[in-house]
Amino acid sequence: MKDLFGNTLAELRSIAARLDLPPFAARQIADWLYAKGAADFAGMTNLPRAARERLAAEYTIGRAAPARRAESRDGTLKYLFPAGENGFVETAVIPDGERRTLCLSTQVGCRRACRFCATGRQGFHGQLGAGAILNQYASCPERERITNIVFMGMGEPLDNPDATLAALEVFTADWGYAMSPTRLTVSTVGIRPALGRLIAESRCHIALSVHSPFPEERRRLVPAEAAHPMAAAISELREARIGGQRRVMIEYIPFADYNDSPRHAAALARLLRGLRCRVNLIPFNAIPGCDLAPTDPARMAAFQAELERRGFVATIRKSKGADIAAACGLLSTAKTTPGAGGK
Ligand code: SAH
């Protein structure tokens, strides 16, 4: 049995053709799967009964409820979602006033092994299909209140570009969830050529994890720098002339006495020259066994001021959910046994 959930309209059309369903069926199935959130085929009442039976013989809907939930003192929620035979992924819901940001995962673990990231420590355990990515939204109990979606959970989205792009299509298409692409942000270390596809095939915001303006130093933080230099990613973003409603965000974690000096801020400003972007400074959430430490608030503010003096909009991300390990870089299912207690 295969999952129907996560298929794009084009994929549903070929499924409909293969199963000899009427031509209008694909659009109706999409409507049931996404806008209407159907739980079974029997409920797809405007489809001929024979069509429903043929679908049910080969497919399941493929939605799955979270297996576990944790709530932080600050209101941040963390869900554990099943991801097929590859295990589980974590998804966070981060409240901020009226906003509710859903932070979703694209892989079980990650192969990029960034020095400061708990998911990187876990290693790579499998890809999520588009259905498993979308399910983190569709089956999220807070779904109705979600205002923004960031692909900043476990995994490197551009190491899984087909599923990431298909999920973005379903989120934004009129036959899908019909969301504005300005509500969606994909964060990446800058994998190419998949970055080019993200630029061309979607209209969502793009966040690039930079963390140091110096290639050698960045390589010690983000090993992907060796094969995927940030300079090439930044050139590609610059040449794409991303503007209007669409935004580029540069992510930077200032570590104490490592990459938090005024010299770093100046070099970062030089590196980003000519790129329309904002810089988001992320407070480091320390992880066990990592020799790096967060910079102090005064150094953080000075780094921000230096960037602003050089003409950039720089913001400091509020860190939330640390007490339930739902904050940036803390998501990991390494110790997760299905159905077991909390971690
Ligand atoms: N693989 C993608 C998306 C996942 S991480 C990427 O690297 O962009 C989302 C953001 O959280 C990235 O900017 C990442 O560098 C940052 N991050 C990772 N570990 C962190 C930690 N321990 N503390 C704070 N931010 C962290």
Side-chain angles (χ1 to χ4, degrees), residues 43 83 134 160 171 248 277 331 337:
L134 290 158
N160 190 8
F171 275 134
V248 173
C277 64
L331 300 183
T337 345

Side-chain angles (χ1 to χ4, degrees), residues 110 114 116-118 151-153 155-157 187-189 207 209 211 251 253 282-287 317 328-330:
C110 184
C114 293
F116 46 80
C117 177
F151 289 55
M152 295 187 187
E156 167 48 54
S187 180
T188 176
V189 293
S209 295
H211 307 315
E251 293 166 292
I253 310 172
I282 310 176
F284 176 46
N285 293 302
I287 60 164
R317 185 177 294 177
C328 290
L330 300 185

Side-chain angles (χ1 to χ4, degrees), residues 2 8 30 45 54 75 90 133 142 150 172 184 207 229 241 252 270 293 319 338:
K2 287 207 280 191
T8 62
T45 45
R54 258 172 268 159
E90 293 189 319
I133 297 175
E142 280 69 39
V150 296
T172 55
L184 301 163
R241 304 196 167 281
Y252 195 105
R270 266 197 308 282
S319 184

Side-chain angles (χ1 to χ4, degrees), residues 267-278:
L268 182 62
R270 266 197 308 282
L271 177 72
L272 299 176
R273 200 175 283 156
L275 174 68
R276 263 231 264 164
C277 64
R278 301 176 178 200

